[in-house]
Amino acid sequence: MALMRVFVVFIQALLPESQRLPDRREKGDILAANPIAGGSTVSDQSRKIAGVMGGMGPDATVDFMAKVVAMTDSGHDQDHVHMIVDQDPTVPNRQTAIDGGVDDVTPRLAQMAIRLERAGADFLVLVCNTAHVFLCGVRAETSIPFISIIEESIAEVGRVAPDARTVGVMATHSCLDTGIYQNEIVRSGRQAVIPDESGRAELMRLINKIKAGDKSADVAASMEAIAQSLVDEGVDVIIGGCTEIPIVFEGDDFTVPVIASTNVLASRTLALAKGYEPLPKKNT
């Protein structure tokens, strides 16, 4: 019954307002008391609902959700994070929009954010690094906080490698071309290093292969080789700044720490949704 109610809420958010059924519940009632074994309930008002902007790509969103589940210390279904996921792979290609200078992405992301807020989300996450380039026009459309995968990944550098001065970034060519990661790294007082032109082309080829379903050992080895090229340039830590990357390469036992942006976002989502950390104020 509870699953059906969540499904109806999600479907209603996709309908025009004129076709929606009246919602007789207050938003705060969504996490209504629900007894579970041991006598505890899920009525804790500190818990929040995560709105997940996904589909860019679909595998990366599923990987993110799986990581949130895996990170959760659970003994019952009710211990897990309440996520409302908009898995929309029809959002226009972010690389094409950036390279061509034609923004057909922002309106679609804004619609997605609005749908999720109307469905009951308390905060938003976007499971695509490159799509963060378009967020200026998205944040103004909602009244709830947005958690940036880029800001969280750079903050993670200070936690896992506090003495690092040089940060390598692996991301899509368009993401790197905008400088969105490099600028934030410089603002953090560190130097950013990105793959050379041939390295960026190879990285993009690998990302596209992962999007097409190729998660083979060859793809993983090639991804690690690009990371090694950054180590050869002298980086102290690497950010995997594309959510396809950790599907094949998370940097376990690598020569320098590797920060998988998906993992960082999943951890932050868990902390906020479970009420371990307070929600930040809405950022504009």
Side-chain angles (χ1 to χ4, degrees):
M1 191 67 177
L3 178 61
M4 179 64 73
R5 186 171 65 183
V6 172
F7 181 75
V8 170
V9 168
F10 180 71
I11 292 300
Q12 286 232 94
L14 305 181
L15 294 173
E17 289 192 56
S18 60
Q19 298 179 26
R20 295 179 193 163
L21 296 172
D23 188 353
R24 298 179 177 85
R25 296 172 296 129
E26 294 296 326
K27 184 176 179 180
D29 293 335
I30 292 176
L31 292 175
N34 181 19
I36 59 177
S40 59
T41 71
V42 291
S43 59
D44 185 351
Q45 292 303 304
S46 66
R47 293 185 65 163
K48 304 297 180 185
I49 301 172
V52 181
M53 302 170 68
M56 300 164 273
D59 265 354
T61 305
V62 172
D63 184 52
F64 164 80
M65 294 173 64
K67 285 178 165 64
V68 173
V69 171
M71 290 177 182
T72 303
D73 183 11
S74 64
H76 312 280
D77 291 348
Q78 293 81 5
D79 295 328
H80 284 277
V81 169
H82 188 165
M83 291 182 278
I84 303 175
V85 182
D86 194 332
Q87 176 85 308
D88 186 0
T90 67
V91 173
N93 188 290
R94 282 69 62 200
Q95 320 301 322
T96 302
I98 293 170
D99 296 346
V102 178
D103 182 8
D104 54 357
V105 176
T106 298
R108 295 292 300 277
L109 293 179
Q111 292 167 11
M112 186 184 296
I114 291 168
R115 288 196 298 265
L116 288 168
E117 182 176 15
R118 287 177 175 171
D122 294 299
F123 66 96
L124 298 170
V125 296
L126 171 56
V127 191
C128 175
N129 287 264
T130 305
H132 280 63
V133 172
F134 303 93
L135 286 183
C136 287
V138 176
R139 286 172 161 160
E141 298 298 324
T142 67
S143 61
I144 56 178
F146 181 90
I147 309 303
S148 166
I149 194 172
I150 292 174
E151 293 172 4
E152 294 296 329
S153 296
I154 294 171
E156 186 73 0
V157 172
R159 290 187 282 269
V160 304
D163 297 326
R165 307 316 313 156
T166 307
V167 182
V169 184
M170 296 169 63
T172 67
H173 70 84
S174 297
C175 183
L176 295 174
D177 286 348
T178 67
I180 189 171
Y181 255 112
Q182 299 95 303
N183 294 339
E184 286 296 324
I185 289 169
V186 169
R187 272 194 281 271
S188 76
R190 303 175 179 91
Q191 178 185 355
V193 177
I194 63 175
D196 60 20
E197 186 174 347
S198 63
R200 291 196 296 275
E202 171 67 357
L203 181 55
M204 200 67 232
R205 184 185 74 84
L206 295 172
I207 289 170
N208 285 331
K209 285 180 77 68
I210 296 167
K211 284 180 177 290
D214 187 347
K215 306 169 191 177
S216 64
D218 286 345
V219 170
S222 297
M223 194 70 76
E224 183 172 346
I226 295 173
Q228 184 59 50
S229 72
L230 292 173
V231 173
D232 294 342
E233 292 292 323
V235 304
D236 302 310
V237 61
I238 293 172
I239 295 176
C242 173
T243 50
E244 269 72 39
I245 292 174
I247 293 176
V248 299
F249 174 67
E250 291 185 311
D252 296 337
D253 301 320
F254 195 59
T255 52
V256 300
V258 176
I259 295 170
S261 59
T262 305
N263 300 21
V264 174
L265 188 64
S267 178
R268 180 74 161 139
T269 299
L270 174 62
L272 293 174
K274 294 279 281 185
Y276 301 150
E277 298 175 7
L279 282 182
K281 293 183 178 178
K282 179 185 181 295
N283 36 15
T284 56

